[in-house]
Amino acid sequence: IGPDVKALQVYLNTHGFPVTPTGLGSKGFETTKFGTLTQKALIKFQIANKITPAIGYFGKITRSFVQVHP
């Protein structure tokens, strides 16, 4: 829970991996909670970008990728 989660949701929502199409977590309605919808969107992002392991954890490898591809 925190502003970093909201930033991640914004990133996912604006880079083709929506957290959810409507409601909390959707574009413009991002939240500070990292729940299953955020995790599932992150897994899709990781798979599409060949980031392993693709388990929906926003760790060092994924963070580095996001920094290089803002």
Side-chain angles (χ1 to χ4, degrees):
I1 294 177
D4 54 335
V5 175
K6 186 171 184 174
L8 173 60
Q9 288 183 358
V10 169
Y11 182 87
L12 292 169
N13 284 336
T14 59
H15 285 79
F17 301 90
V19 174
T20 186
T22 61
L24 293 176
S26 65
K27 189 173 181 181
F29 296 96
E30 291 86 0
T31 72
T32 58
K33 182 183 176 201
F34 190 102
T36 57
L37 294 176
T38 306
Q39 183 180 24
K40 288 178 182 179
L42 184 55
I43 289 170
K44 290 177 184 176
F45 171 81
Q46 291 170 327
I47 290 170
N49 290 287
K50 298 177 178 61
I51 298 170
T52 57
I55 57 173
Y57 174 71
F58 195 57
K60 188 176 182 176
I61 297 169
T62 306
R63 287 176 193 258
S64 295
F65 183 92
V66 167
Q67 287 178 344
V68 174
H69 303 91

